[in-house]
Amino acid sequence: MSKKYKVALVVGAGAFGTSIATVLSNNFDKVVVKVRSEDVYRGIKDNHENGIYLPGLPLPKNILAALTWDEVDEYCPKEQLELIVSGLPTAGIETFFQEHYDRFASYFDCSIPLLSLSKGIDPVTLELSDDLFYDTFPKHRELFNFLSGPSFAREIMEEQITLVAIAGRSKQVLTKVIDMVESHYFRALASYDVKGVLLGGALKNVIAIAGGIIEGLGFNYNTRAAMITRAISDMLKFGKVFNARPETFYGLSGMGDLILTTTGKLSRNKSFGLEVAKGRNPEEIISSQRTVVEGYKTTKAAYLLSNKFEIQANIFVGVHEVLYGGKPPQEAIQKIMEIPIIFEDGTHL
Amino acid sequence: MSKKYKVALVVGAGAFGTSIATVLSNNFDKVVVKVRSEDVYRGIKDNHENGIYLPGLPLPKNILAALTWDEVDEYCPKEQLELIVSGLPTAGIETFFQEHYDRFASYFDCSIPLLSLSKGIDPVTLELSDDLFYDTFPKHRELFNFLSGPSFAREIMEEQITLVAIAGRSKQVLTKVIDMVESHYFRALASYDVKGVLLGGALKNVIAIAGGIIEGLGFNYNTRAAMITRAISDMLKFGKVFNARPETFYGLSGMGDLILTTTGKLSRNKSFGLEVAKGRNPEEIISSQRTVVEGYKTTKAAYLLSNKFEIQANIFVGVHEVLYGGKPPQEAIQKIMEIPIIFEDGTHL
């Protein structure tokens, strides 16, 4: 029996991209995943499993892997394609879409919408991922949508009830994309605040690293809850610079995702922070693993932003000092604790 | 060597009252704890330990237990008394202070400030604890201060870095009380939003129960983060009725405490929810234990408030249906998931 939608194309087969492909497989006849590496390709094709990023979790049979663009064209002819999902890390977006400009421009000329899963800030241009897409495809801004919210890939695969935010500029496109992803365990709430949704998703990774560091140093729940709460105040200051709505930071893509990544067990950013607390060299940890720790680069970007716009974001600056300045984590925490704050908004009595 | 302040009197020697007594022992020569039960009294007096509520944690030697008011007067003559702390559960405040009206009225006539630790809503009058004090001592409103925020008693005893909010009406009194409690591991931020601070502290206990239920049913981090985030939206609706400031719910006493109690291991409210998820009878669980589960009564109060003021607070109503209406928890969650929400603020596209 055919489903409501025909074909979706997912580029990037990391853990999160694969989990969203699985969500889409409920509503699409076929979900084609364009992968780069032979081992992921073989895993999906031969065993219906992404053995590299989501080992042990079977994928639905209507998820098809494609290693070449010829395969993509074979599995998803343009006239059947109804959604493109970008599961690329932020740093890879610009290069990828410029390299395959003609193909994607022709998709967008047919009004096929895109849903991006990236949560990061470009550490060089300090742009959020919406601008990376808009720069390359300025005519098609209304087609780009951005998903963010508390959602571990593995739990999506287990059909845990999951709520995320999807931000976009067009009411019509948003409504359609939300309809495409929703299922009995996965729901998406709409937002027009693209910057707010992206910023929350990006900055929370830095706080997740801080959460890992704090936990690794032996601090417990009181300290963690205090740090998370104060971090949201810092995030709002970044939001101001980007004209984001404060409410967005208190929603799924802000606070929701922050709670998930700092208190959940599975976050890569938090695990990274735990390793840093043990005294390991941050750069060494990063270079020794295959998965991307978005928060590492975002820490740099957030620091540069705080300098550029004179944002007083103590927790973010503290994490930067630890990751890039060689400061002992214990010392950074002490410094944050000593800042005189009388009211929660930073004003004095 | 004598300390900055002379004597503090703490009434109510539960876990939290005892931990705040310990914090105060850093700044006061003596902290006198008025206890009701012989076993707690003997524990503090003979072994410097509150063996009932905080077993295994040694108390400082300058914490003195008093079983009778004669002992109180012996240890803390009125002219040396500089702070009163109320560690009573919400339901006990009115009776206690009416019974000992003359004593406390005479303290307040000498402008001795009070710091209340209660987090609850009176399930009969639907009053927050500030009104319970104001009703009894209407002339001395400016002396009453209210502490709330992410702070497990046991972690305070371990000197984990802890940040809380203290709300009050007088700048001068607030400044003094904050100075009295602060130490190298314990900090308090000021707020004039008494209602907001109390409401967050009270309502979060209901959500902690919901968190326990969700966890007990086998849901994991994605679902928990989504529930917490949506719950804050519900809390804001209650806040509106009490003229509380929205920002307060995003601060230490709101979101901060919510994160602590729903994601930390030690919360009584969460443990209670876990038991409920196993199918145990809520009333039976409550009556079988000595410690107070504030959230159980607050659930009733929140439900009555939502009726009285026509507040649409789905998560709160869902918890009420499970605790007082015999509804299976799984069914309540399903119902909450089915509510059509398109934007996070509840509006439609």
Side-chain angles (χ1 to χ4, degrees):
Chain A
M1 210 189 77
S2 80
K3 300 191 170 160
K4 193 166 179 188
Y5 297 101
K6 294 198 190 79
V7 183
L9 170 63
V10 178
V11 293
F16 198 53
T18 304
S19 74
I20 296 298
T22 306
V23 167
L24 292 169
S25 73
N26 292 301
N27 299 331
F28 282 79
D29 290 334
K30 268 191 289 185
V31 181
V32 180
V33 182
K34 170 75 175 75
V35 304
R36 243 183 355 181
S37 67
E38 181 83 25
D39 48 3
V40 175
Y41 176 70
R42 290 256 63 98
I44 299 179
K45 209 169 171 72
D46 301 343
N47 310 317
H48 298 289
E49 182 187 327
N50 186 335
I52 305 300
Y53 295 112
L54 290 173
L57 297 169
L59 299 176
K61 296 260 167 18
N62 60 339
I63 293 187
L64 307 174
L67 194 59
T68 65
W69 291 106
D70 284 345
E71 275 175 299
V72 169
D73 289 329
E74 183 193 331
Y75 297 142
C76 68
K78 199 166 89 179
E79 62 278 10
Q80 288 186 19
L81 187 60
E82 295 189 87
L83 177 70
I84 300 155
V85 174
S86 164
L88 303 169
T90 311
I93 292 172
E94 212 153 18
T95 319
F96 179 88
F97 284 96
Q98 277 168 0
E99 195 177 326
H100 304 289
Y101 177 83
D102 290 342
R103 166 179 296 270
F104 285 93
S106 92
Y107 290 154
F108 299 138
D109 285 339
C110 296
S111 296
I112 300 168
L114 178 139
L115 179 63
S116 167
L117 313 177
S118 314
K119 298 173 179 178
I121 304 172
D122 189 292
V124 179
T125 64
L126 303 184
E127 283 179 310
L128 295 176
S129 49
D130 59 336
D131 284 326
L132 299 174
F133 286 104
Y134 300 161
D135 289 349
T136 311
F137 305 102
K139 278 192 309 179
H140 294 300
R141 292 178 180 224
E142 82 287 353
L143 291 176
F144 295 102
N145 304 275
F146 304 88
L147 184 151
S148 191
S151 45
F152 284 138
R154 197 163 268 277
E155 295 191 5
I156 295 175
M157 300 297 292
E158 293 165 356
E159 304 200 352
Q160 296 275 344
I161 290 175
T162 302
L163 263 71
V164 299
I166 296 183
R169 296 167 155 241
S170 152
K171 177 175 162 172
Q172 199 196 338
V173 176
L174 258 181
T175 312
K176 193 165 178 191
V177 170
I178 286 176
D179 188 62
M180 286 170 164
V181 299
E182 287 206 329
S183 71
H184 66 283
Y185 61 92
F186 193 89
R187 293 193 60 182
L189 307 193
S191 172
Y192 293 131
D193 185 11
V194 172
K195 290 291 184 202
V197 164
L198 288 174
L199 211 46
L203 293 176
K204 69 101 188 22
N205 287 329
V206 181
I207 304 309
I209 295 175
I213 294 176
I214 279 185
E215 195 175 314
L217 290 176
F219 288 104
N220 218 317
Y221 300 113
N222 288 4
T223 314
R224 183 173 79 178
M227 191 277 292
I228 298 175
T229 312
R230 301 300 302 153
I232 289 259
S233 296
D234 277 2
M235 280 168 68
L236 282 174
K237 298 178 193 168
F238 287 95
K240 257 191 182 167
V241 169
F242 284 90
N243 276 322
R245 298 173 61 210
E247 306 90 275
T248 306
F249 293 94
Y250 301 129
L252 293 163
S253 57
M255 190 183 91
D257 208 356
L258 188 55
I259 292 172
L260 184 83
T261 30
T262 45
T263 70
K265 280 205 187 73
L266 309 168
S267 146
R268 287 178 221 155
N269 292 288
K270 189 177 153 191
S271 310
F272 171 65
L274 284 168
E275 291 300 307
V276 171
K278 287 184 196 158
R280 284 187 63 192
N281 180 286
E283 213 184 322
E284 235 175 73
I285 307 171
I286 293 293
S287 57
S288 72
Q289 57 188 47
R290 183 165 170 172
T291 51
V292 176
V293 180
E294 283 271 19
Y296 181 66
K297 283 184 179 162
T298 308
T299 300
K300 169 66 86 187
Y303 173 73
L304 294 173
L305 278 173
S306 75
N307 266 353
K308 185 173 170 185
F309 296 105
E310 299 183 357
I311 302 165
Q312 212 207 327
N314 299 314
I315 296 176
F316 288 86
V317 171
V319 176
H320 182 264
E321 284 176 335
V322 172
L323 297 191
Y324 293 92
K327 184 171 227 172
Q330 183 75 49
E331 222 174 273
I333 289 172
Q334 219 45 55
K335 203 180 134 197
I336 291 169
M337 271 302 283
E338 282 160 12
I339 293 159
I341 317 159
I342 299 297
F343 279 106
E344 289 198 295
D345 64 3
T347 56
H348 289 260
L349 265 171
Chain B
M1 209 189 77
S2 82
K3 301 192 170 159
K4 193 165 179 188
Y5 298 99
K6 295 199 191 80
V7 182
L9 170 63
V10 178
V11 294
F16 198 53
T18 304
S19 74
I20 295 298
T22 305
V23 167
L24 292 169
S25 73
N26 292 301
N27 299 331
F28 283 80
D29 290 334
K30 268 191 290 183
V31 181
V32 180
V33 182
K34 170 78 176 74
V35 305
R36 244 184 354 182
S37 66
E38 182 81 25
D39 48 3
V40 174
Y41 175 70
R42 290 256 62 98
I44 299 178
K45 210 170 170 70
D46 301 343
N47 309 318
H48 297 291
E49 182 187 328
N50 186 335
I52 306 299
Y53 295 111
L54 290 173
L57 298 170
L59 299 175
K61 297 259 163 24
N62 60 338
I63 292 186
L64 307 173
L67 194 60
T68 64
W69 290 106
D70 284 346
E71 275 176 298
V72 169
D73 288 328
E74 182 192 331
Y75 296 141
C76 66
K78 200 165 87 178
E79 62 280 9
Q80 288 186 18
L81 187 59
E82 295 190 88
L83 177 70
I84 301 155
V85 174
S86 164
L88 304 169
T90 311
I93 291 172
E94 211 152 17
T95 320
F96 178 88
F97 283 96
Q98 276 168 1
E99 194 178 325
H100 304 289
Y101 177 83
D102 289 342
R103 166 179 296 269
F104 285 93
S106 93
Y107 289 153
F108 299 137
D109 284 339
C110 297
S111 297
I112 300 167
L114 178 138
L115 179 63
S116 167
L117 313 176
S118 315
K119 298 172 179 179
I121 304 173
D122 189 294
V124 179
T125 63
L126 302 185
E127 282 179 310
L128 295 177
S129 50
D130 60 337
D131 284 326
L132 299 174
F133 286 105
Y134 299 161
D135 290 349
T136 311
F137 305 103
K139 278 193 306 177
H140 295 299
R141 291 176 181 226
E142 82 289 352
L143 291 176
F144 296 102
N145 305 275
F146 303 89
L147 183 151
S148 191
S151 45
F152 285 137
R154 196 163 267 277
E155 295 191 6
I156 294 175
M157 301 297 292
E158 292 164 359
E159 304 200 353
Q160 295 275 344
I161 291 176
T162 302
L163 264 72
V164 299
I166 295 183
R169 294 167 157 244
S170 153
K171 178 176 161 171
Q172 198 197 338
V173 177
L174 258 182
T175 312
K176 193 164 179 192
V177 171
I178 287 175
D179 188 63
M180 287 170 164
V181 300
E182 286 205 331
S183 71
H184 66 282
Y185 61 92
F186 194 89
R187 293 193 58 182
L189 307 194
S191 172
Y192 292 130
D193 185 10
V194 172
K195 291 290 184 202
V197 164
L198 288 173
L199 211 46
L203 293 177
K204 69 98 188 28
N205 287 329
V206 181
I207 305 308
I209 295 175
I213 294 176
I214 279 185
E215 194 174 317
L217 290 176
F219 288 103
N220 218 317
Y221 300 112
N222 287 5
T223 313
R224 183 173 80 179
M227 191 277 292
I228 298 174
T229 312
R230 301 300 303 153
I232 288 257
S233 296
D234 277 3
M235 280 168 69
L236 281 174
K237 298 178 192 167
F238 287 95
K240 258 192 180 166
V241 169
F242 284 91
N243 277 322
R245 297 173 62 209
E247 306 88 276
T248 306
F249 293 94
Y250 301 129
L252 293 163
S253 58
M255 191 184 90
D257 209 356
L258 188 55
I259 292 172
L260 184 83
T261 30
T262 45
T263 70
K265 279 206 188 72
L266 308 169
S267 146
R268 286 179 221 155
N269 292 288
K270 189 178 153 190
S271 310
F272 171 65
L274 283 168
E275 291 300 307
V276 170
K278 287 185 196 158
R280 283 187 64 191
N281 181 287
E283 213 184 321
E284 235 175 72
I285 307 171
I286 293 294
S287 56
S288 72
Q289 57 188 47
R290 183 166 169 172
T291 50
V292 176
V293 180
E294 283 271 18
Y296 180 67
K297 282 184 179 162
T298 309
T299 300
K300 169 66 87 187
Y303 173 74
L304 294 173
L305 279 174
S306 75
N307 265 353
K308 187 173 169 186
F309 296 104
E310 300 183 356
I311 301 165
Q312 212 206 328
N314 299 313
I315 296 176
F316 289 86
V317 171
V319 176
H320 182 264
E321 284 176 335
V322 172
L323 297 191
Y324 293 91
K327 184 172 227 170
Q330 182 75 51
E331 223 174 273
I333 290 172
Q334 218 46 55
K335 202 179 134 199
I336 291 169
M337 270 301 282
E338 282 160 12
I339 294 160
I341 318 158
I342 298 296
F343 279 106
E344 289 198 296
D345 65 2
T347 56
H348 290 260
L349 265 170

